């Protein structure tokens, strides 16, 4: 399982088979949570929460974020210690798909939260070693391309949400079975057929002036971590409340409409991310595109706050989704470049994963504080300020980084 092929030298590239199968597996990881958290969970909560759906979603987001944060670091550490990424991925795949299918049986808040926590733990058993696999096998000269390929993950995740919510296609139980089946079909090929080329330099710890105690490297890691955290707070807010925000503008918006809007934006982002990622590789400018995307995301959030009707709101959200998707995909790839210790790669990625889960702890309180008083416009203004800080952090990174 995930057997290495021939060793590559310092000038070779990872072969296309692994790159494509890894991108497919990353898409499977996204399919495991995007349809459920963006569409299926809010719809289930709205059906059983008796008008308390915003509060219920906040509780679910909080519990899920805590369990995801801890389990991602734990299983990353375990996969580092055992050196067996594939075994952990396979076990997490089986458990998370089983628990996802069981989610439809929850009809109360405590039962729903309990299943959600168990599902998040098993999901991160799969996602943490899967993320580290890219660092094990993709050389720095292909990190931009990797970021472009990773843009397929949220796009296909959103597409799966649009697929399973097609009216009349499947009931609640069948939707979850469909999602679990899609996840398995996407993740299993990289475990069985990838045979990646091995690059010894990717498994050699950084030393000397480039080591983990190097102040410049440490500052870059901190800036990357903080910038992603701030952008992810905005992303998490739209992730959880896109459906409800669109419904607040037009009651005619349904769950499938929201899924199609979400998916369309992410698919449009894919070719742009590939182009920007290849440009970053050719010009050795890994950080600059991140700063530009954060600036554009700031502008888009301001436009969303001011949008008076549905068409303008959709255009503004499209710009937000495009810029933030490019940012997050390229950031995921470039993070692998700056982490100094491959022997702790999955564990350190788990610490970076806190930037994905912590926003779900911050966002519910921010939303509950802002939306009832200032509406979604006030929330988007606050988010725009946070993302502007992220743009500034990355814009001031030295050229050589």
């Amino acid at each position: 399982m995930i057997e290495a092929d021939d060793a590559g030298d310092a000038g070779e590239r990872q072969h296309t088979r692994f790159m494509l199968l890894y991108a497919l597996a990353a898409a499977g990881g996204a399919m495991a949570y995007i349809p459920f958290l963006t569409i299926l969970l809010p719809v289930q909560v709205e059906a059983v929460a008796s008008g308390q759906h915003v509060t219920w979603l906040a509780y679910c987001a909080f519990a899920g974020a805590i369990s995801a944060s801890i389990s991602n670091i734990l299983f990353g550490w375990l996969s580092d210690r055992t050196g067996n990424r594939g075994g952990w991925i396979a076990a997490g795949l089986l458990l998370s798909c089983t628990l996802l299918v069981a989610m439809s049986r929850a009809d109360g808040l405590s039962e729903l939260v309990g299943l959600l926590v168990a599902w998040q733990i098993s999901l991160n058993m799969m996602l943490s070693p899967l993320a580290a696999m890219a660092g094990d096998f993709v050389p720095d000269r292909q990190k931009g391309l990797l970021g472009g390929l990773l843009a397929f993950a949220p796009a296909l995740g959103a597409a799966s949400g649009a697929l399973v919510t097609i009216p009349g296609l499947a009931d609640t139980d069948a939707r979850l079975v469909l999602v679990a089946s899609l996840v398995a079909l996407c993740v299993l090929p990289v475990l069985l057929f990838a045979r990646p080329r091995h690059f010894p330099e990717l498994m050699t710890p950084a030393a000397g002036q480039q080591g983990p105690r190097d102040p410049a490297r440490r500052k870059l890691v901190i800036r990357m971590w903080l910038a992603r955290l701030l952008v992810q707070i905005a992303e998490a807010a739209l992730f959880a409340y896109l459906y409800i925000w669109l419904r607040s503008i037009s009651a005619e918006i349904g769950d499938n409409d929201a899924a199609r809007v979400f998916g369309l934006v992410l698919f449009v982002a894919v070719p742009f991310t590939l182009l920007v990622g290849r440009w970053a590789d050719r010009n050795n400018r890994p950080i600059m595109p991140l700063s530009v995307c954060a600036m554009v995301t700031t502008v888009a959030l301001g436009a969303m706050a001011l949008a008076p009707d549905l068409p303008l709101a959709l255009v503004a959200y499209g710009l937000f989704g495009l810029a933030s998707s490019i940012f997050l995909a390229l950031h995921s790839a470039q993070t692998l470049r700056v982490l100094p210790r491959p022997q702790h790669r999955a564990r350190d990625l788990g610490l970076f994963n806190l930037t994905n889960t912590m926003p779900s702890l911050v966002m519910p309180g921010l939303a509950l504080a802002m939306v009832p008083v200032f509406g979604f416009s006030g929330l988007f203004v606050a988010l725009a300020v946070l993302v502007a800080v992220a743009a500034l952090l990355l814009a001031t990174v030295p050229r050589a980084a």
Side-chain angles (χ1 to χ4, degrees), residues 333-385:
Q334 300 303 343
T335 295
L336 296 168
R337 179 196 294 265
V338 304
L339 292 177
R341 292 171 290 182
Q343 70 272 28
H344 300 305
R345 177 172 285 134
R347 183 206 64 186
D348 291 346
L349 284 173
L351 295 174
F352 253 87
N353 187 63
L354 293 175
T355 65
N356 300 330
T357 55
M358 285 176 60
S360 294
L361 305 180
V362 176
M363 177 272 298
L366 184 62
L368 292 173
M370 299 294 293
V371 174
V373 180
F374 303 105
F376 280 105
S377 294
L379 175 64
F380 294 152
V381 168
L383 296 175
V385 172

Side-chain angles (χ1 to χ4, degrees), residues 83 98 143 148 160 164 205 214 218-219 258 261 292 337 339 341 364-366 376 385 387 391:
T98 301
K143 290 297 196 299
S160 66
V164 301
D214 176 28
R218 182 179 179 84
K219 288 179 181 178
V261 169
V292 173
R337 179 196 294 265
L339 292 177
R341 292 171 290 182
L366 184 62
F376 280 105
V385 172
V387 178

Side-chain angles (χ1 to χ4, degrees), residues 78-157:
L78 287 171
S79 75
D80 285 333
R81 290 295 298 267
T82 62
N84 181 14
R85 309 279 193 218
W88 291 106
I89 293 170
L93 173 65
L94 176 63
L95 290 173
S96 62
C97 287
T98 301
L99 289 167
L100 181 66
V101 172
M103 204 75 67
S104 63
R105 300 178 183 176
D107 54 7
L109 179 58
S110 59
E111 185 178 1
L112 182 62
V113 170
L115 277 173
L116 186 68
V117 166
W119 171 73
Q120 282 280 17
I121 292 171
S122 61
L123 178 63
N124 282 277
M125 184 189 299
M126 177 182 76
L127 294 180
S128 181
L130 182 62
M133 191 192 301
D136 294 343
F137 296 116
V138 180
D140 285 353
R141 54 191 167 274
Q142 289 181 282
K143 290 297 196 299
L145 173 61
L146 173 65
L149 292 173
L150 289 178
F152 280 98
L156 292 177

Side-chain angles (χ1 to χ4, degrees), residues 12-251:
E12 288 185 331
R13 298 163 66 85
Q14 185 57 261
H15 55 65
T16 302
R17 177 181 60 203
F18 173 80
M19 298 293 285
L20 294 179
L21 288 180
Y22 181 80
L24 180 64
M31 288 179 190
Y33 64 87
I34 287 179
F36 179 67
L37 295 181
T38 60
I39 303 297
L40 302 182
L41 179 62
V43 169
Q44 182 176 355
V45 168
E46 188 177 45
V48 300
S50 302
Q52 298 296 314
H53 51 283
V54 173
T55 302
W56 274 45
L57 281 176
Y59 283 124
C60 288
F62 183 85
I66 291 290
S67 54
S69 299
I70 296 172
S71 58
N72 195 276
I73 296 172
L74 171 63
F75 290 115
W77 176 77
L78 287 171
S79 75
D80 285 333
R81 290 295 298 267
T82 62
N84 181 14
R85 309 279 193 218
W88 291 106
I89 293 170
L93 173 65
L94 176 63
L95 290 173
S96 62
C97 287
T98 301
L99 289 167
L100 181 66
V101 172
M103 204 75 67
S104 63
R105 300 178 183 176
D107 54 7
L109 179 58
S110 59
E111 185 178 1
L112 182 62
V113 170
L115 277 173
L116 186 68
V117 166
W119 171 73
Q120 282 280 17
I121 292 171
S122 61
L123 178 63
N124 282 277
M125 184 189 299
M126 177 182 76
L127 294 180
S128 181
L130 182 62
M133 191 192 301
D136 294 343
F137 296 116
V138 180
D140 285 353
R141 54 191 167 274
Q142 289 181 282
K143 290 297 196 299
L145 173 61
L146 173 65
L149 292 173
L150 289 178
F152 280 98
L156 292 177
S160 66
L163 173 65
V164 301
T165 57
I166 292 175
L169 176 66
D171 60 16
T172 300
D173 292 351
R175 285 176 171 183
L176 295 173
V177 172
L178 282 174
V179 171
S181 300
L182 289 170
V183 173
L185 288 173
C186 290
V187 174
L188 285 175
V190 79
L191 299 179
L192 301 176
F193 310 118
R195 294 189 62 82
R197 178 174 290 134
H198 178 65
F199 293 89
E201 72 271 18
L202 295 178
M203 305 307 295
T204 302
Q209 62 181 352
Q210 297 300 321
R213 298 182 183 277
D214 176 28
R217 173 66 68 92
R218 182 179 179 84
K219 288 179 181 178
L220 177 57
V221 170
I222 292 173
R223 283 171 180 257
M224 292 279 284
W225 193 93
L226 288 174
R228 186 178 182 96
L229 174 66
L230 295 172
V231 173
Q232 281 283 46
I233 290 173
E235 182 78 6
L238 270 296
F239 196 75
Y241 293 107
L242 172 64
Y243 174 68
I244 296 173
W245 173 55
L246 292 176
R247 292 273 291 178
S248 72
I249 298 174
S250 173

Side-chain angles (χ1 to χ4, degrees), residues 143-152 154-155 263-282 285 288-290 292-293 296 318-331 334:
K143 290 297 196 299
L145 173 61
L146 173 65
L149 292 173
L150 289 178
F152 280 98
L264 177 62
V265 169
L266 293 177
F267 267 105
V268 170
V270 171
F272 285 97
T273 309
L274 282 167
L275 288 173
V276 175
R278 293 299 298 273
W279 181 91
D281 284 342
R282 289 195 302 267
R285 298 294 301 270
M288 191 188 78
L290 302 178
V292 173
C293 287
V296 175
L319 183 62
F320 167 87
L322 177 65
S324 62
S325 296
I326 296 173
F327 176 95
L328 294 173
L330 294 182
H331 190 287
Q334 300 303 343

